């Protein structure tokens, strides 16, 4: 396996493209956006401050590193009256739930955990995975973006909260990188193969019921796109578009101030909030020969947020252990039979 000389992307990722210096296409295409600055953040935040409201700021919280720091920053630095809301996708890790409860308790912030009353999210995941033999893909994150955005927007509208602060970093974003690799992948079945599976239609029914349960005004439940917030009186801010993102500093602050923890067996502080994430990396290793994290490492290395050596150490650890948790995860967390589990593992 050949790896990019600048990041750690392997040549097993289709459509990557290496130049004559053995540098991959992602590195050559990388452009870092400029920070808007703390002054611009305070201006944006203060313009949506309302002293008459019980809450004037909303933090979507997962219990992970970056959203926990966003909670700290909003409450302690920006001095906002914060409401923390988490979409419980039924696959929260125990450590993520503990992190959320501990952080909110220390900051005196109210936490709302919102879950599907009918358990639709878990049903969607189960039927999507059962469709995997038809598509040669697992696609376990299919409904999460819809669920998170729906819960966040519905709650902000319900309580008339004028400001949403997202704790997502551009340096770990992979959603605009993976489609390039999927498009170039040979041997992946057409998306229309799923139409032959009865499980597909059951999953679509659960998805429709899920979107109906968490419907956002102004959005159709028949659309496959993530919902949009159509109320101009509510402003959305991405914290790390304004202030520097330093994962080590963030980790130190939330560990000291909020008692934040990561699992003892985790090689990274990234993606520790969802028990399904090992299944995501499992799929990526099967499709591309690397983890999904590896795509994020490319951005982090190019922006100077992690060294190539550190990223390579983490990637090699994941490569050695990516299959360890999967059988139990499929059987116990998702509820597949032994036979169905073997079918998925044979992909």
């Amino acid at each position: 396996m050949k790896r990019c000389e600048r990041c750690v992307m392997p040549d097993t990722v289709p459509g990557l493209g290496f130049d004559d210096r053995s540098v991959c296409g992602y590195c050559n295409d990388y452009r870092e956006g400029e920070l808007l600055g703390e002054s611009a953040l305070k201006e944006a935040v203060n313009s949506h401050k309302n002293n008459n409201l019980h809450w004037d700021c909303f933090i979507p919280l997962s219990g992970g590193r970056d959203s926990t720091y966003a909670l700290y920053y909003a409450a302690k630095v920006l001095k906002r009256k914060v409401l923390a809301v988490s979409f419980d996708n039924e696959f929260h890790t125990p450590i993520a739930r503990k992190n959320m409860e501990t952080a909110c308790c220390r900051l005196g912030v109210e936490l709302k955990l919102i879950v599907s009353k009918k358990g639709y999210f878990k049903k969607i995941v189960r039927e999507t995975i059962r469709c995997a033999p038809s598509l040669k893909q697992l696609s376990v994150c299919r409904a999460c973006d819809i669920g998170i955005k729906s819960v966040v927007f519905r709650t902000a509208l319900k309580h008339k909260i004028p400001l949403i602060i997202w704790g997502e970093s551009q340096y770990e974003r992979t959603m605009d990188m993976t489609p390039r690799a999927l498009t170039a992948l040979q041997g992946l079945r057409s998306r229309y193969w799923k139409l032959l599976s009865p499980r597909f239609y059951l999953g679509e029914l659960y998805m429709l019921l899920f979107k109906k349960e968490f419907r956002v005004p102004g959005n159709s439940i028949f659309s496959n796109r993530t919902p949009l917030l159509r109320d101009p009186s509510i402003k959305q801010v991405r914290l790390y578009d304004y202030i520097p993102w330093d994962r080590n500093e963030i980790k130190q602050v939330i560990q000291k101030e909020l008692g934040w923890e990561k699992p003892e067996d985790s090689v990274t502080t990234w993606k520790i909030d969802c028990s399904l994430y090992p299944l995501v990396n499992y799929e990526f290793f099967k499709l591309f020969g690397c983890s999904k994290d590896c795509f994020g490492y490319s951005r982090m290395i190019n922006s100077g947020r992690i060294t190539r050596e550190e990223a390579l150490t983490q990637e090699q650890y994941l490569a050695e252990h990516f299959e360890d948790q999967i059988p139990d995860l499929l059987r116990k967390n998702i509820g597949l039979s032994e036979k169905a589990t073997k079918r998925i593992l044979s992909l």
Side-chain angles (χ1 to χ4, degrees):
M1 178 190 294
K2 174 183 176 182
R3 291 190 183 273
C4 172
E5 289 295 321
R6 186 179 299 170
C7 70
V8 294
M9 294 298 294
D11 60 2
T12 51
V13 177
L16 192 56
F18 285 80
D19 63 17
D20 54 6
R21 300 167 298 161
S22 296
V23 175
C24 77
Y26 289 137
C27 288
N28 285 323
D29 293 343
Y30 179 78
R31 301 290 183 274
E32 185 171 345
E34 292 186 11
L35 290 178
L36 299 174
E38 192 172 1
S39 296
L41 173 62
K42 290 181 178 179
E43 183 179 345
V45 166
N46 290 334
S47 66
H48 283 71
K49 193 169 186 177
N50 190 327
N51 293 324
N52 295 322
L53 294 176
H54 186 62
W55 302 296
D56 62 5
C57 180
F58 184 167
I59 302 294
L61 189 64
S62 70
R65 180 192 62 213
D66 293 343
S67 68
T68 303
Y69 185 78
L71 177 72
Y72 170 84
Y73 197 91
K76 285 291 188 179
V77 179
L78 298 176
K79 307 295 184 183
R80 302 306 295 250
K81 296 179 291 184
V82 178
L83 172 65
V85 174
S86 181
F87 167 55
D88 185 349
N89 65 359
E90 303 169 69
F91 294 103
H92 271 154
T93 59
I95 196 69
R97 190 176 290 269
K98 179 184 176 183
N99 284 338
M100 287 189 284
E101 292 171 350
T102 303
C104 288
C105 180
R106 291 195 180 187
L107 291 169
V109 168
E110 183 173 344
L111 171 65
K112 291 182 181 291
L113 291 171
I114 300 178
V115 64
S116 169
K117 294 179 181 178
K118 301 289 185 179
Y120 288 136
F121 191 88
K122 191 168 187 176
K123 293 174 182 176
I124 293 167
V125 169
R126 185 173 63 244
E127 300 311 325
T128 299
I129 290 176
R130 284 174 169 172
C131 281
S134 300
L135 283 175
K136 303 298 184 185
Q137 285 180 271
L138 293 172
S139 304
V140 295
C141 296
R142 180 180 172 224
C144 217
D145 271 350
I146 293 175
I148 293 170
K149 294 288 179 64
S150 296
V151 163
V152 168
F153 295 158
R154 282 171 58 88
T155 306
L157 290 166
K158 177 181 178 181
H159 296 289
K160 296 181 173 58
I161 301 174
L163 177 68
I164 301 170
I165 298 181
W166 294 93
E168 298 172 348
S169 165
Q170 62 169 302
Y171 306 109
E172 292 179 322
R173 187 177 63 240
T174 60
M175 62 184 299
D176 57 342
M177 300 171 70
T178 53
R180 173 174 170 177
L182 283 169
T183 301
L185 191 64
Q186 298 298 316
L188 197 63
R189 289 191 178 183
S190 163
R191 60 183 178 177
Y192 297 110
W193 275 88
K194 64 188 178 184
L195 301 178
L196 301 178
S197 172
R199 296 290 183 186
F200 165 73
Y201 297 100
L202 184 56
E204 287 301 296
L205 174 60
Y206 288 140
M207 178 67 82
L208 191 66
L209 294 171
F210 176 71
K211 288 189 285 189
K212 181 180 179 182
E213 181 181 9
F214 294 107
R215 183 178 180 274
V216 179
N219 292 267
S220 170
I221 64 172
F222 298 102
S223 172
N224 286 324
R225 298 179 179 179
T226 55
L228 298 174
L229 181 60
R230 302 186 184 278
D231 189 331
S233 67
I234 300 176
K235 185 175 182 61
Q236 299 185 71
V237 168
R238 298 190 182 277
L239 179 64
Y240 304 111
D241 288 349
Y242 292 84
I243 66 171
W245 179 84
D246 183 323
R247 62 195 178 89
N248 290 321
E249 181 180 341
I250 288 170
K251 182 175 66 173
Q252 290 171 9
V253 169
I254 60 178
Q255 285 178 334
K256 178 182 178 181
E257 301 293 334
L258 305 180
W260 188 89
E261 300 176 5
K262 75 175 183 69
E264 292 183 0
D265 59 349
S266 177
V267 71
T268 177
T269 57
W270 193 16
K271 301 291 186 182
I272 59 91
D273 48 3
C274 181
S275 62
L276 286 179
Y277 195 69
L279 196 55
V280 176
N281 272 338
Y282 174 84
E283 177 182 27
F284 270 67
F285 272 111
K286 291 292 186 179
L287 291 176
F288 305 126
C290 69
S291 68
K292 186 175 182 180
D293 295 23
C294 194
F295 287 75
Y297 294 149
S298 178
R299 286 188 188 274
M300 292 167 66
I301 291 168
N302 278 286
S303 65
R305 267 70 183 182
I306 191 174
T307 66
R308 186 177 187 274
E309 290 71 26
E310 186 179 359
L312 187 58
T313 298
Q314 293 183 6
E315 180 64 10
Q316 289 174 338
Y317 177 87
L318 291 172
E320 293 170 2
H321 298 280
F322 76 94
E323 294 180 297
D324 294 353
Q325 305 173 49
I326 306 306
D328 277 351
L329 196 158
L330 291 173
R331 288 192 296 264
K332 297 178 181 179
N333 292 55
I334 297 170
L336 297 189
S337 66
E338 190 71 33
K339 181 179 179 181
T341 296
K342 289 181 178 179
R343 287 186 69 203
I344 300 303
L345 295 177
S346 67
L347 295 178

